[in-house]
């Protein structure tokens, strides 16, 4: 077993977070992953313990380690505190959200899916430029939401996607936009994207799609996609859609990356409907931990865990309810540990 030499921040999160994190840590420990965890709070767990959804110790830890594994965090709907996920992205400039989708469960509606969504994480409509104004006799009768993109950020995110394609032997990048209607904001993304694509000519193929058409193409023929790069809101929606192609949110990992830090997480939320019941599927968070192992150059450990996931899920004997089985979180964890070579 290797020694724990790489400091990393660990945030168990809310709802099902602690249960799935326990499972993931058990498996990381079983392969001897070299992380020296700094355990910290965020989200409702932070509010409950220290009345702060993002304590400064948590931020300082991520600043020190530059590496974090994060469980889902509950965000109050409507009022309450701002999404901690969004705040973390802004604090560490985590501009690139990488969301891979790969078929693991055989016999589903879509076999052999293998695509990646690169979502811009800081701008667009998630900039939270929101306010209300009077309308129809109601002082808050109209709600306004503003989005923005910058030329620099459009260039950076599309470049990230093309670089990712080159490094990971991917053949094609699709620029997804709505420049026909949102002519300035989405138009700038497309314009900058085309410029970047030009630099990769001959190495990576470029393709373009309007977001609504892309949503349809993802259902009719998802195999035509390889890497998709798009702005914040479109990326958020399309990545849930692609998760649906391969068995749902329980199988979808993600990474938030900048040159300052990398935060790995599941795409799904805190699933309050099943929290504390021992039913949650830990695979999305485990797949995020696998991405984290690759990020630190431990392909060997990543491959061992990937192989165990494949063998357990393919055999079909131990699956959680969201995947059509009867197993609980602990049953799946035990089966995965047993399948590790
Ligand atoms: P959700 O992803 O938590 O749940 C949607 C549905 O998927 C639920 O039926 C849930 O039981 C199921 N589900 C999700 N993860 C699962 C898993 N691992 N195993 C089995 N079933 C699973 O989305 P929802 O309900 O809209 O959001 C709940 C809370 O999570 C909200 O406060 C939201 O803001 C937050 N959230 C946090 C995210 C993050 O921290 N990255 C991402 C998305 C939502």
């Amino acid at each position: 077993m290797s020694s724990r030499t790489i400091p990393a921040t660990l945030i168990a999160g809310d709802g099902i977070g602690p249960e799935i994190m326990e499972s993931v840590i058990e498996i990381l420990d079983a392969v001897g992953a070299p992380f020296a965890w700094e355990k910290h709070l965020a989200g409702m767990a932070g509010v409950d313990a220290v009345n702060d959804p993002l304590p400064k110790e948590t931020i300082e830890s991520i600043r020190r380690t530059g590496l974090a594994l994060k469980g889902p965090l509950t965000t109050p709907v409507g009022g309450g505190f701002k999404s901690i996920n969004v705040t973390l992205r802004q604090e560490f400039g985590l501009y690139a959200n990488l969301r891979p989708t790969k078929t693991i469960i055989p016999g589903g509606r879509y076999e052999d899916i293998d695509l990646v969504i690169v979502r811009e994480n800081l701008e667009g409509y998630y900039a939270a430029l929101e306010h209300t104004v009077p309308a129809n006799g109601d002082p808050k009768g109209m709600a306004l939401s503003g989005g923005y993109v910058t030329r620099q950020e459009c260039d950076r995110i599309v470049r990230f996607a093309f670089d990712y394609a080159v490094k990971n032997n991917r053949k094609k990048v699709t620029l997804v936009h709505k420049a026909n209607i949102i002519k300035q904001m989405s138009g700038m993304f497309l314009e900058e994207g085309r410029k970047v694509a030009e630099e990769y000519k001959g190495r990576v193929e470029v393709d373009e799609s309007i977001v609504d058409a892309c949503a349809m193409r993802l259902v009719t023929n998802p195999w035509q996609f390889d890497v998709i790069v798009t702005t914040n809101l479109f990326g958020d929606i399309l990545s849930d859609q692609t998760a649906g192609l391969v068995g749902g949110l329980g199988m979808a990992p993600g990474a938030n990356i900048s040159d300052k830090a990398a935060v790995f997480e599941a795409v799904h939320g805190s699933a309050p409907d099943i929290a504390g019941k021992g039913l949650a599927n830990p695979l999305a968070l485990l797949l995020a931990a696998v991405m984290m192992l690759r990020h630190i150059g431990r392909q060997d450990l990543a491959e061992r865990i990937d192989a165990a996931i494949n063998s357990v899920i393919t055999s079909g004997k131990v699956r959680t309810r969201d995947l059509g089985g009867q197993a609980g979180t602990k049953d799946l964890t035990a089966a995965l540990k047993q399948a590790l070579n």
Side-chain angles (χ1 to χ4, degrees), residues 29-104:
D29 283 350
V31 296
F35 300 114
W37 297 113
E38 297 186 7
K39 293 187 182 168
H40 286 281
L41 297 169
M44 290 312 290
V47 172
D48 292 344
V50 292
N51 201 23
D52 187 348
L54 189 58
K56 78 174 187 316
E57 291 77 11
T58 306
I59 295 188
E60 278 163 7
S61 172
I62 301 176
R63 190 162 291 133
R64 224 174 14 249
T65 62
L67 195 62
L69 182 62
K70 187 185 81 56
L73 304 175
T74 298
T75 306
V77 175
F81 58 82
K82 179 178 158 188
S83 161
I84 298 308
N85 296 311
V86 173
T87 310
L88 274 177
R89 286 169 203 156
Q90 287 166 347
E91 179 74 33
F92 294 102
L94 303 168
Y95 69 96
N97 185 199
L98 197 58
R99 293 183 166 182
T101 298
K102 205 166 187 273
T103 306
I104 299 177

Coordinates of all heavy atoms in Angstrom, one line a residue, residues 29-104:
D29 N -9.1 3.5 -0.2 CA -8.2 2.9 0.8 C -7.8 1.5 0.4 O -6.7 1.1 0.5 CB -8.9 2.8 2.2 CG -8.9 4.2 2.9 OD1 -8.2 5.1 2.4 OD2 -9.6 4.3 3.9
A30 N -8.8 0.8 -0.2 CA -8.5 -0.6 -0.6 C -7.4 -0.7 -1.7 O -6.7 -1.7 -1.7 CB -9.8 -1.3 -1.0
V31 N -7.4 0.3 -2.5 CA -6.3 0.3 -3.6 C -5.1 1.0 -3.1 O -4.1 1.1 -3.9 CB -6.8 0.9 -5.0 CG1 -7.9 0.0 -5.5 CG2 -7.2 2.3 -4.9
G32 N -5.1 1.6 -1.9 CA -3.9 2.4 -1.5 C -3.7 3.7 -2.1 O -2.6 4.1 -2.4
A33 N -4.8 4.4 -2.4 CA -4.7 5.7 -3.0 C -3.9 6.7 -2.1 O -4.1 6.6 -0.9 CB -6.1 6.3 -3.2
P34 N -3.0 7.5 -2.7 CA -2.1 8.2 -1.9 C -2.5 9.5 -1.3 O -1.7 10.4 -1.0 CB -0.9 8.5 -2.9 CG -1.7 8.6 -4.2 CD -2.8 7.7 -4.1
F35 N -3.8 9.7 -1.1 CA -4.3 11.0 -0.6 C -4.3 11.1 0.9 O -4.7 10.2 1.7 CB -5.8 11.2 -1.0 CG -6.0 11.2 -2.5 CD1 -6.7 10.2 -3.1 CD2 -5.4 12.1 -3.3 CE1 -6.9 10.1 -4.5 CE2 -5.6 12.1 -4.7 CZ -6.3 11.1 -5.3
A36 N -3.7 12.2 1.4 CA -3.8 12.6 2.8 C -4.9 13.5 3.0 O -4.8 14.7 2.6 CB -2.5 13.2 3.3
W37 N -6.0 13.0 3.5 CA -7.3 13.8 3.5 C -7.3 14.9 4.5 O -6.9 14.6 5.7 CB -8.5 12.9 3.7 CG -8.7 11.9 2.6 CD1 -8.6 10.6 2.7 CD2 -9.1 12.2 1.2 NE1 -8.8 10.0 1.5 CE2 -9.1 10.9 0.6 CE3 -9.3 13.3 0.5 CZ2 -9.5 10.8 -0.8 CZ3 -9.6 13.2 -0.9 CH2 -9.7 11.9 -1.5
E38 N -7.7 16.1 4.1 CA -8.1 17.1 5.1 C -9.6 17.2 5.1 O -10.1 17.7 4.0 CB -7.4 18.5 4.7 CG -5.9 18.4 4.6 CD -5.3 19.8 4.4 OE1 -6.0 20.8 4.3 OE2 -4.1 19.9 4.2
K39 N -10.2 16.8 6.1 CA -11.7 16.7 6.1 C -12.3 18.1 6.5 O -12.0 18.6 7.5 CB -12.2 15.7 7.0 CG -11.8 14.3 6.5 CD -12.5 13.2 7.4 CE -12.0 11.9 6.8 NZ -12.3 10.7 7.7
H40 N -13.2 18.6 5.6 CA -13.8 19.9 5.9 C -15.3 19.9 5.6 O -15.8 19.0 4.9 CB -13.1 21.0 5.2 CG -11.8 21.3 5.8 ND1 -11.6 22.1 6.9 CD2 -10.5 20.9 5.4 CE1 -10.3 22.2 7.2 NE2 -9.6 21.4 6.3
L41 N -16.0 21.0 6.1 CA -17.4 21.1 6.0 C -17.8 22.1 4.9 O -17.0 23.0 4.6 CB -18.0 21.5 7.3 CG -17.9 20.7 8.5 CD1 -18.3 21.4 9.7 CD2 -18.7 19.4 8.3
A42 N -19.0 21.9 4.3 CA -19.6 22.9 3.5 C -21.1 22.6 3.3 O -21.5 21.5 3.8 CB -18.9 22.9 2.1
G43 N -21.8 23.5 2.8 CA -23.2 23.3 2.6 C -24.0 23.3 3.9 O -23.6 24.0 4.8
M44 N -25.1 22.6 3.9 CA -26.0 22.5 5.1 C -25.2 22.0 6.3 O -25.4 22.4 7.4 CB -27.2 21.7 4.9 CG -28.2 22.3 3.9 SD -28.6 24.0 4.2 CE -29.6 23.8 5.7
A45 N -24.3 21.0 6.0 CA -23.4 20.5 7.1 C -22.6 21.6 7.8 O -22.5 21.6 9.0 CB -22.5 19.4 6.6
G46 N -22.2 22.6 7.0 CA -21.4 23.7 7.5 C -22.4 24.6 8.3 O -22.0 25.1 9.4
V47 N -23.6 24.8 7.8 CA -24.5 25.7 8.4 C -24.9 25.1 9.8 O -24.9 25.8 10.8 CB -25.8 25.9 7.6 CG1 -26.9 26.6 8.4 CG2 -25.5 26.6 6.3
D48 N -25.1 23.8 9.8 CA -25.5 23.1 11.1 C -24.4 23.2 12.1 O -24.7 23.4 13.3 CB -25.9 21.7 10.8 CG -27.2 21.6 10.0 OD1 -27.9 22.6 9.9 OD2 -27.5 20.5 9.4
A49 N -23.2 23.0 11.6 CA -22.1 22.8 12.6 C -21.5 24.2 13.0 O -21.3 24.4 14.2 CB -20.9 22.0 12.0
V50 N -21.3 25.1 12.1 CA -20.7 26.4 12.4 C -21.4 27.6 11.9 O -20.8 28.7 11.8 CB -19.2 26.4 12.0 CG1 -18.4 25.4 12.8 CG2 -19.0 26.1 10.5
N51 N -22.6 27.4 11.5 CA -23.5 28.5 10.9 C -22.8 29.2 9.7 O -22.9 30.4 9.5 CB -23.7 29.5 12.0 CG -25.0 30.3 11.7 OD1 -25.8 29.9 10.9 ND2 -25.0 31.5 12.3
D52 N -22.1 28.4 8.9 CA -21.5 29.0 7.7 C -21.5 27.9 6.6 O -20.9 26.8 6.8 CB -20.1 29.4 8.1 CG -19.4 30.1 6.9 OD1 -19.9 30.1 5.8 OD2 -18.3 30.7 7.2
P53 N -22.2 28.2 5.4 CA -22.2 27.1 4.4 C -20.8 26.9 3.7 O -20.7 25.9 3.0 CB -23.2 27.7 3.4 CG -23.3 29.2 3.6 CD -22.9 29.4 5.1
L54 N -19.9 27.9 3.9 CA -18.6 27.7 3.3 C -17.5 28.3 4.3 O -17.0 29.4 4.1 CB -18.5 28.4 1.9 CG -17.2 28.0 1.2 CD1 -17.0 26.6 0.9 CD2 -17.2 28.8 -0.2
P55 N -17.2 27.5 5.4 CA -16.3 28.0 6.4 C -14.9 28.3 5.7 O -14.5 27.7 4.8 CB -16.2 26.8 7.4 CG -17.4 26.0 7.1 CD -17.7 26.2 5.7
K56 N -14.2 29.3 6.3 CA -13.0 29.7 5.7 C -11.9 28.7 5.8 O -11.0 28.6 4.9 CB -12.5 31.1 6.3 CG -11.8 31.1 7.6 CD -11.3 32.5 7.8 CE -10.5 32.7 9.1 NZ -11.0 32.0 10.3
E57 N -12.0 27.8 6.8 CA -11.1 26.6 6.9 C -11.2 25.7 5.6 O -10.2 25.2 5.1 CB -11.3 25.7 8.1 CG -11.0 26.4 9.4 CD -12.1 27.4 9.9 OE1 -13.2 27.4 9.3 OE2 -11.8 28.1 10.9
T58 N -12.4 25.6 5.1 CA -12.6 24.8 3.9 C -11.9 25.4 2.7 O -11.2 24.7 2.0 CB -14.1 24.6 3.7 OG1 -14.7 24.1 4.8 CG2 -14.4 23.7 2.5
I59 N -12.1 26.7 2.6 CA -11.5 27.4 1.4 C -10.0 27.4 1.6 O -9.3 27.1 0.6 CB -12.0 28.9 1.4 CG1 -13.5 28.9 1.1 CG2 -11.2 29.7 0.4 CD1 -14.1 30.3 0.9
E60 N -9.5 27.6 2.8 CA -8.0 27.6 3.0 C -7.4 26.3 2.7 O -6.3 26.2 2.1 CB -7.7 28.1 4.4 CG -7.7 29.6 4.6 CD -7.8 30.0 6.0 OE1 -7.6 29.2 6.9 OE2 -7.9 31.2 6.2
S61 N -8.2 25.2 3.0 CA -7.6 23.9 2.8 C -7.5 23.7 1.3 O -6.5 23.2 0.8 CB -8.6 22.8 3.4 OG -8.2 21.5 3.0
I62 N -8.6 24.0 0.5 CA -8.5 23.8 -1.0 C -7.4 24.7 -1.6 O -6.7 24.2 -2.5 CB -9.9 24.1 -1.6 CG1 -11.0 23.2 -1.0 CG2 -9.8 23.9 -3.1 CD1 -12.4 23.5 -1.6
R63 N -7.2 25.9 -1.0 CA -6.2 26.7 -1.5 C -4.8 26.1 -1.3 O -3.9 26.2 -2.2 CB -6.2 28.1 -0.8 CG -5.4 29.2 -1.4 CD -5.7 30.6 -1.0 NE -7.0 31.0 -1.5 CZ -7.9 31.6 -0.8 NH1 -7.8 31.8 0.4 NH2 -9.1 31.9 -1.4
R64 N -4.6 25.4 -0.2 CA -3.4 24.8 0.1 C -3.2 23.5 -0.7 O -2.1 23.3 -1.3 CB -3.4 24.3 1.6 CG -2.2 24.6 2.4 CD -2.3 24.3 3.9 NE -3.4 23.5 4.3 CZ -4.4 23.9 5.1 NH1 -4.5 25.2 5.4 NH2 -5.4 23.2 5.5
T65 N -4.2 22.7 -0.8 CA -4.1 21.4 -1.5 C -4.2 21.5 -3.0 O -3.6 20.7 -3.7 CB -5.1 20.4 -1.0 OG1 -6.4 20.8 -1.3 CG2 -5.0 20.2 0.5
G66 N -5.1 22.4 -3.4 CA -5.3 22.5 -4.9 C -6.1 21.3 -5.4 O -6.2 21.1 -6.6
L67 N -6.6 20.5 -4.5 CA -7.2 19.2 -4.9 C -8.4 18.9 -4.0 O -8.1 18.9 -2.8 CB -6.1 18.2 -4.9 CG -6.3 16.8 -5.5 CD1 -6.5 17.0 -7.0 CD2 -5.1 15.9 -5.3
A68 N -9.6 18.6 -4.5 CA -10.6 18.2 -3.5 C -11.6 17.2 -4.1 O -11.8 17.2 -5.3 CB -11.4 19.5 -3.2
L69 N -12.1 16.4 -3.2 CA -13.2 15.5 -3.6 C -14.4 15.9 -2.8 O -14.3 16.0 -1.5 CB -12.8 14.0 -3.2 CG -13.8 13.0 -3.6 CD1 -14.1 12.9 -5.1 CD2 -13.4 11.6 -3.1
K70 N -15.5 16.2 -3.5 CA -16.6 16.9 -2.8 C -17.9 16.1 -3.0 O -18.2 15.7 -4.1 CB -16.7 18.3 -3.4 CG -17.7 19.1 -2.8 CD -17.9 20.5 -3.5 CE -18.8 20.3 -4.7 NZ -20.1 19.8 -4.5
G71 N -18.6 15.8 -1.9 CA -19.9 15.3 -2.0 C -20.9 16.3 -2.4 O -20.6 17.5 -2.5
P72 N -22.2 16.0 -2.8 CA -23.2 17.0 -3.2 C -23.5 17.9 -2.0 O -23.6 17.5 -0.9 CB -24.4 16.1 -3.6 CG -24.2 14.8 -2.9 CD -22.7 14.6 -2.7
L73 N -23.8 19.2 -2.4 CA -24.2 20.1 -1.4 C -25.6 20.7 -1.7 O -25.9 21.0 -2.8 CB -23.2 21.3 -1.4 CG -21.7 21.0 -1.2 CD1 -20.9 22.2 -1.4 CD2 -21.5 20.3 0.2
T74 N -26.4 20.7 -0.6 CA -27.8 21.2 -0.8 C -27.8 22.7 -0.9 O -27.1 23.4 -0.2 CB -28.6 20.8 0.4 OG1 -28.7 19.4 0.5 CG2 -30.0 21.3 0.4
T75 N -28.5 23.2 -1.9 CA -28.7 24.6 -2.1 C -30.2 24.9 -1.9 O -31.0 24.3 -2.6 CB -28.4 25.0 -3.6 OG1 -27.0 24.6 -3.9 CG2 -28.4 26.5 -3.7
P76 N -30.5 25.9 -1.0 CA -31.9 26.2 -0.8 C -32.5 26.8 -2.1 O -31.8 27.5 -2.8 CB -31.9 27.3 0.3 CG -30.5 27.4 0.8 CD -29.6 26.7 -0.2
V77 N -33.7 26.4 -2.5 CA -34.3 26.9 -3.7 C -34.9 28.3 -3.4 O -35.5 28.5 -2.4 CB -35.4 25.9 -4.2 CG1 -36.1 26.4 -5.4 CG2 -34.8 24.5 -4.5
G78 N -34.8 29.2 -4.4 CA -35.4 30.5 -4.3 C -34.5 31.4 -3.4 O -33.5 32.0 -3.9
G79 N -34.8 31.5 -2.1 CA -34.0 32.4 -1.2 C -32.8 31.6 -0.6 O -32.3 30.7 -1.2
G80 N -32.4 32.0 0.6 CA -31.3 31.4 1.3 C -29.9 31.7 0.7 O -29.8 32.6 -0.1
F81 N -28.9 30.9 1.1 CA -27.6 31.3 0.7 C -27.3 30.9 -0.8 O -28.0 30.0 -1.3 CB -26.5 30.7 1.6 CG -26.6 29.2 1.8 CD1 -26.0 28.3 0.8 CD2 -27.2 28.6 2.9 CE1 -26.0 27.0 1.0 CE2 -27.2 27.2 3.1 CZ -26.7 26.4 2.1
K82 N -26.4 31.5 -1.4 CA -26.0 31.3 -2.8 C -25.4 29.9 -2.9 O -24.8 29.4 -2.0 CB -25.0 32.3 -3.2 CG -24.5 32.2 -4.6 CD -23.6 33.4 -4.9 CE -22.6 33.1 -6.0 NZ -21.6 34.1 -6.2
S83 N -25.6 29.2 -4.0 CA -25.0 27.9 -4.2 C -23.5 27.8 -3.9 O -22.8 28.6 -4.4 CB -25.2 27.4 -5.7 OG -24.3 26.4 -6.0
I84 N -23.2 26.9 -3.0 CA -21.8 26.8 -2.6 C -20.9 26.3 -3.8 O -19.8 26.6 -3.9 CB -21.6 25.9 -1.4 CG1 -22.4 26.5 -0.2 CG2 -20.2 25.7 -1.0 CD1 -22.0 28.0 0.1
N85 N -21.6 25.4 -4.6 CA -20.9 24.9 -5.8 C -20.5 26.1 -6.7 O -19.3 26.1 -7.1 CB -21.8 24.0 -6.5 CG -22.1 22.8 -5.7 OD1 -21.2 22.2 -5.1 ND2 -23.4 22.4 -5.6
V86 N -21.4 27.0 -6.9 CA -21.1 28.2 -7.7 C -20.0 29.0 -7.0 O -19.0 29.5 -7.7 CB -22.4 29.0 -8.0 CG1 -22.1 30.3 -8.7 CG2 -23.4 28.2 -8.8
T87 N -20.1 29.2 -5.7 CA -19.1 30.1 -5.0 C -17.8 29.4 -5.1 O -16.8 30.2 -5.3 CB -19.5 30.2 -3.5 OG1 -20.9 30.6 -3.5 CG2 -18.7 31.2 -2.8
L88 N -17.7 28.1 -4.9 CA -16.4 27.5 -5.0 C -15.7 27.7 -6.4 O -14.6 27.9 -6.6 CB -16.5 26.0 -4.8 CG -16.5 25.5 -3.3 CD1 -16.7 24.0 -3.2 CD2 -15.2 25.9 -2.6
R89 N -16.6 27.5 -7.4 CA -16.1 27.7 -8.8 C -15.5 29.1 -9.0 O -14.5 29.3 -9.6 CB -17.2 27.5 -9.8 CG -17.6 26.0 -10.0 CD -18.9 25.9 -10.8 NE -19.5 24.6 -10.4 CZ -20.7 24.3 -10.6 NH1 -21.6 25.1 -11.0 NH2 -21.2 23.1 -10.3
Q90 N -16.3 30.1 -8.4 CA -15.8 31.5 -8.6 C -14.5 31.7 -7.8 O -13.6 32.3 -8.2 CB -16.9 32.4 -8.2 CG -18.0 32.4 -9.3 CD -19.3 33.1 -8.8 OE1 -19.5 33.4 -7.7 NE2 -20.2 33.4 -9.8
E91 N -14.5 31.2 -6.5 CA -13.4 31.4 -5.6 C -12.1 30.9 -6.2 O -11.0 31.5 -6.1 CB -13.6 30.7 -4.3 CG -12.6 30.8 -3.3 CD -12.5 32.2 -2.6 OE1 -13.5 32.8 -2.4 OE2 -11.4 32.6 -2.2
F92 N -12.1 29.7 -6.9 CA -10.9 29.1 -7.4 C -10.8 29.2 -8.9 O -10.0 28.6 -9.6 CB -10.8 27.7 -7.0 CG -10.6 27.6 -5.5 CD1 -11.6 27.3 -4.6 CD2 -9.4 27.9 -4.9 CE1 -11.5 27.2 -3.3 CE2 -9.2 27.9 -3.5 CZ -10.2 27.6 -2.7
G93 N -11.7 30.1 -9.5 CA -11.7 30.3 -11.0 C -11.8 29.0 -11.7 O -11.2 28.8 -12.8
L94 N -12.6 28.0 -11.2 CA -12.7 26.7 -11.8 C -13.5 26.8 -13.1 O -14.7 26.5 -13.1 CB -13.4 25.7 -10.8 CG -12.7 25.6 -9.5 CD1 -13.6 24.8 -8.5 CD2 -11.4 24.9 -9.6
Y95 N -12.8 27.2 -14.2 CA -13.6 27.6 -15.4 C -14.0 26.4 -16.2 O -15.0 26.5 -17.0 CB -12.7 28.5 -16.2 CG -11.5 27.9 -16.9 CD1 -11.6 27.4 -18.2 CD2 -10.3 27.8 -16.2 CE1 -10.5 26.8 -18.8 CE2 -9.2 27.2 -16.7 CZ -9.3 26.7 -18.0 OH -8.2 26.1 -18.6
A96 N -13.4 25.2 -16.1 CA -13.7 24.1 -17.0 C -14.4 23.0 -16.2 O -13.9 22.5 -15.2 CB -12.5 23.6 -17.6
N97 N -15.6 22.7 -16.6 CA -16.3 21.6 -16.0 C -16.3 20.4 -17.0 O -16.9 20.5 -18.0 CB -17.7 22.0 -15.6 CG -18.6 21.0 -14.9 OD1 -19.8 21.1 -14.8 ND2 -17.9 20.0 -14.3
L98 N -15.7 19.4 -16.6 CA -15.5 18.2 -17.5 C -16.5 17.1 -17.0 O -16.4 16.7 -15.9 CB -14.0 17.7 -17.2 CG -13.3 16.9 -18.2 CD1 -13.3 17.5 -19.6 CD2 -11.9 16.6 -17.7
R99 N -17.3 16.7 -17.9 CA -18.3 15.7 -17.6 C -18.3 14.6 -18.6 O -19.0 14.6 -19.6 CB -19.7 16.3 -17.5 CG -19.8 17.3 -16.3 CD -21.2 17.9 -16.1 NE -21.3 18.5 -14.8 CZ -22.4 19.1 -14.4 NH1 -23.5 19.1 -15.2 NH2 -22.5 19.6 -13.2
P100 N -17.6 13.5 -18.3 CA -17.6 12.4 -19.3 C -18.8 11.5 -19.1 O -19.3 11.3 -18.0 CB -16.3 11.6 -18.9 CG -16.0 12.0 -17.5 CD -16.7 13.3 -17.2
T101 N -19.2 10.9 -20.2 CA -20.3 9.9 -20.2 C -19.8 8.6 -20.9 O -19.5 8.7 -22.1 CB -21.5 10.5 -21.0 OG1 -21.9 11.7 -20.3 CG2 -22.6 9.5 -21.1
K102 N -19.9 7.5 -20.3 CA -19.4 6.3 -20.9 C -20.4 5.2 -20.5 O -20.8 5.1 -19.3 CB -18.1 6.0 -20.3 CG -17.2 5.1 -21.2 CD -15.8 5.2 -20.6 CE -14.8 4.5 -21.5 NZ -14.5 3.3 -21.5
T103 N -20.8 4.3 -21.5 CA -21.6 3.2 -21.1 C -20.9 2.2 -20.3 O -19.8 1.8 -20.6 CB -22.1 2.5 -22.4 OG1 -22.6 3.4 -23.3 CG2 -23.1 1.4 -22.1
I104 N -21.5 1.9 -19.2 CA -20.9 0.8 -18.3 C -21.9 -0.4 -18.2 O -21.5 -1.5 -18.2 CB -20.5 1.3 -16.9 CG1 -19.5 2.4 -17.0 CG2 -20.0 0.2 -16.0 CD1 -19.1 3.0 -15.7

